[in-house]
Amino acid sequence: MKIVEPLIFEYSKPGRRAHDLPELDVPRKGTENLLGSEWLRDKPAELPEVAKVDLVRHFVKLSQMNHGVDVGFYPLGSCTMKYNPKINENVSRLSGFSDLHPYQPEETVQGALELMYRLEQYLKEIGALARVSMQPVAGAHGELTGLFIIQAYHRKRGEHRTKVIIPDSAHGTNPASATIGGCSVVEVKSDERGGVDLESLESVLDDDVSCLMLTNPNTLGLFDENMHRVAEMVHEAGGLVYYDGANANAIMGVARPGETGFDVVHYNLHKTFATPHGGGGPGSGPVGVVEELVPFLPVPLVDYDGEKYFLKYDLPHSIGRMRSFYGNFLVAVKAYAYIRTMGGEGLLQVSKDAVLSANYLMKKLKDYYDLPFDRFCMHEFVLSGSRQKRQNDVRALDIAKRLLDHGIHPPTIYFPLIVDECLMVEPTETESLETLDEFVRVMVEIAREAEKEPEVLKEAPHRTPVGRLDEATAARKPNLRWKREDQE
Ligand SMILES: *Cc1c(COP(=O)(O)O)cnc(C)c1O
């Protein structure tokens, strides 16, 4: 493992300072006693002592050791790592938004309320939904919220339903949310075209079904051709249909979940609507519903009475709060700025371009890697490294690591679980043809290496600051503490 940048402590030289403050001109005497001597250190804290220039260089170098959307191509399937226009950041930092206090009186935050109200109108329009709550702060949080709404709806009708049906291609958060929501998960198979297998669905439908959770296009990047029938079957059994909208980047302005049979929808503002994400946040997963489910939404909602905007708490069957205050408000600001700068036509173009880019790459790569579902894809597609594994025991992980040597973030390789050695590629709409072609060139070169020099792949990456990690140990037992040599 080669770490190229020393720790900040290793730059330390006694007496060096990154600041230049004037001499203290008030008496220091007596301050010790304010705290009481038992709270004072015996000796000064051992902080690094460095000059400002070294400090700045150190942290800038560290920031360059990571890959990010602003550094290079990031085709991480299912995550929609598109370029995030910087104007969104500027807007969200306007003091009128960023300096608000959540307890300010309503009449002093009319602008913020108006923004939330307007964003809701857009999200309603995009999804054909009756109302949308901004409270959930992640996709998974939206799923849990949606599930609570669905459960409350069934309870209200005097029914107790506990089964959540989830396709075998689903994102891992779907079964996790269902389980945390107190339901049991029943898996349905995918058919040979990658959609929900109707027979498999039929066989699990009964009066214990709470809902079906589905993302469409699914994590294979495929639009479910039987969507209307699937929704109809679940509805006939008395269940509801939940739309995991994390893949909405493929369908904006083309298909509206509220019109394809879905009852509850979450969006990932941090994916589809251009907020930087990764590393755990901040996210936003607004949940929208059809008319019949509005009474169950979390409170407060934002309403307008013709004169002023206000927080509405009186929803008869509300599931209550899912989050303190109003969700990740500044993410909503960024999403609003994005939607306004794109406009309706722009959002449609986003989806068309995202789908075009993915099909372009799929077509160019399918001779070099296996393509288990060979049909037009939506905004992403899933290759398989089976051939490479069979030939030379090169795994999808090796291919992923080798991409890092070329300054490209790898595709998703841990799901969908139904594809052996999967490589889920999502180029997004924001990459140029040249970048896509460069990715093709690199992937073709890696396929050749897999045949001719598999050792190179097995030891990749070779050019990154840190080589191949034991990822399980790094995640489970991270060692993040620096100890001086004379410390335990
Ligand atoms: C990202 C994603 C989620 C979860 O969203 P988070 O904001 O990460 O919780 C759910 N489903 C799909 C298909 C996703 O891609």
Side-chain angles (χ1 to χ4, degrees):
M1 217 192 281
K2 40 184 178 352
I3 303 263
V4 292
E5 178 60 10
L7 296 169
I8 189 75
F9 289 91
E10 295 169 76
Y11 281 109
S12 188
K13 289 278 176 297
R16 275 209 190 140
R17 287 290 176 272
H19 62 74
D20 191 9
L21 294 176
E23 280 296 311
L24 193 65
D25 61 357
V26 291
R28 182 195 290 272
K29 217 169 136 256
T31 45
E32 293 84 355
N33 295 337
L34 283 178
L35 282 175
S37 50
E38 74 268 34
W39 297 110
L40 296 183
R41 298 176 193 277
D42 307 330
K43 48 182 182 156
E46 289 170 57
L47 299 174
E49 298 179 83
V50 291
K52 192 190 272 181
V53 64
D54 298 327
L55 184 73
V56 170
R57 284 180 188 157
H58 173 70
F59 285 108
V60 170
K61 274 188 228 159
L62 286 186
S63 76
Q64 292 170 338
M65 287 164 71
N66 259 336
H67 192 88
V69 183
D70 290 347
V71 176
F73 188 39
Y74 208 136
L76 185 68
S78 213
C79 290
T80 310
M81 303 302 286
K82 62 169 81 178
Y83 170 74
N84 304 292
K86 300 298 173 262
I87 188 171
N88 303 345
E89 299 300 314
N90 296 346
V91 171
S92 74
R93 282 186 203 129
L94 291 175
S95 142
F97 295 128
S98 60
D99 294 343
L100 295 181
H101 191 284
Y103 284 138
Q104 263 177 253
E106 269 170 27
E107 62 273 21
T108 69
V109 290
Q110 285 292 302
L113 294 177
E114 180 175 354
L115 183 137
M116 285 197 276
Y117 181 83
R118 286 197 191 199
L119 177 60
E120 183 187 344
Q121 307 315 309
Y122 292 139
L123 296 178
K124 277 160 57 175
E125 178 66 23
I126 292 166
L129 301 161
R131 288 227 59 167
V132 180
S133 161
M134 302 292 160
Q135 272 190 33
V137 292
H141 197 202
E143 292 165 20
L144 186 65
T145 305
L147 213 71
F148 284 166
I149 292 170
I150 290 168
Q151 291 299 80
Y153 163 85
H154 290 310
R155 265 199 310 278
K156 173 79 191 355
R157 294 159 51 98
E159 296 196 27
H160 182 67
R161 290 169 172 257
T162 59
K163 249 163 67 172
V164 175
I165 303 172
I166 297 178
D168 55 9
S169 61
H171 189 269
T173 52
N174 292 180
S177 302
T179 307
I180 290 184
C183 292
S184 58
V185 173
V186 183
E187 192 175 274
V188 282
K189 298 229 166 320
S190 301
D191 63 17
E192 72 282 357
R193 291 186 55 79
V196 172
D197 183 81
L198 296 181
E199 270 176 37
S200 178
L201 177 62
E202 184 70 56
S203 71
V204 297
L205 287 174
D206 57 25
D207 56 12
D208 192 25
V209 169
S210 172
C211 68
L212 167 79
M213 286 183 103
L214 200 76
T215 179
N216 193 24
N218 61 22
T219 64
L220 297 164
L222 301 174
F223 196 86
D224 198 311
E225 298 156 316
N226 298 318
M227 195 53 238
H228 284 287
R229 182 66 198 130
V230 166
E232 203 173 67
M233 287 166 71
V234 177
H235 285 146
E236 277 164 12
L240 297 182
V241 188
Y242 180 92
Y243 183 65
D244 172 344
N247 289 333
N249 213 44
I251 59 155
M252 287 184 292
V254 182
R256 305 202 297 168
E259 288 169 347
T260 41
F262 290 96
D263 305 291
V264 186
V265 171
H266 89 252
Y267 292 102
N268 282 40
L269 296 189
H270 49 289
K271 293 180 183 173
T272 314
F273 299 99
T275 277
H277 66 106
S284 178
V287 167
V289 294
V290 295
E291 200 65 53
E292 207 180 347
L293 297 174
V294 171
F296 303 94
L297 280 172
V299 286
L301 290 168
V302 180
D303 263 348
Y304 182 58
D305 65 9
E307 276 179 23
K308 60 178 190 327
Y309 296 90
F310 63 98
L311 293 166
K312 176 186 168 72
Y313 286 90
D314 56 336
L315 271 191
H317 308 296
S318 171
I319 59 165
R321 272 188 181 280
M322 287 301 290
R323 169 78 178 180
S324 54
F325 308 119
Y326 322 106
N328 271 338
F329 171 64
L330 294 180
V331 179
V333 175
K334 290 175 209 183
Y336 180 77
Y338 179 70
I339 292 173
R340 288 302 301 239
T341 44
M342 299 307 288
E345 285 300 316
L347 293 180
L348 172 62
Q349 197 63 45
V350 161
S351 291
K352 285 181 174 174
D353 289 349
V355 171
L356 180 63
S357 300
N359 279 285
Y360 180 78
L361 289 184
M362 183 176 79
K363 183 93 192 350
K364 291 260 179 180
L365 290 173
K366 70 181 202 182
D367 290 342
Y368 302 92
Y369 296 87
D370 290 345
L371 179 65
F373 297 93
D374 189 0
R375 47 178 271 217
F376 276 116
C377 66
M378 298 295 286
H379 65 312
E380 62 194 5
F381 61 97
V382 181
L383 295 172
S384 162
S386 287
R387 191 188 311 175
Q388 286 73 18
K389 181 168 87 176
R390 221 167 35 240
Q391 284 169 353
N392 271 325
D393 197 34
V394 166
R395 313 296 299 264
L397 180 71
D398 304 319
I399 297 167
K401 294 298 182 192
R402 186 61 171 148
L403 279 167
L404 292 170
D405 282 334
H406 294 272
I408 295 173
H409 193 285
T412 296
I413 60 164
Y414 290 110
F415 74 97
L417 300 175
I418 53 174
V419 173
D420 181 44
E421 300 296 317
C422 62
L423 293 152
M424 193 207 295
V425 181
E426 180 183 2
T428 81
E429 73 284 2
T430 54
E431 300 297 336
S432 67
L433 185 58
E434 290 75 24
T435 301
L436 301 182
D437 283 338
E438 170 64 7
F439 180 65
V440 171
R441 188 191 67 72
V442 169
M443 285 294 283
V444 171
E445 188 181 313
I446 291 175
R448 192 192 51 79
E449 280 178 338
E451 253 179 71
K452 304 265 159 59
E453 317 164 70
E455 336 66 58
V456 176
L457 300 190
K458 293 200 180 117
E459 283 157 27
H462 304 275
R463 298 175 201 150
T464 48
V466 175
R468 196 172 295 202
L469 295 170
D470 173 349
E471 288 174 3
T473 307
R476 299 270 153 76
K477 297 184 194 153
N479 177 5
L480 304 174
R481 251 190 92 213
W482 177 74
K483 285 184 202 140
R484 259 193 355 252
E485 273 154 28
D486 58 340
Q487 271 177 332
E488 263 300 288

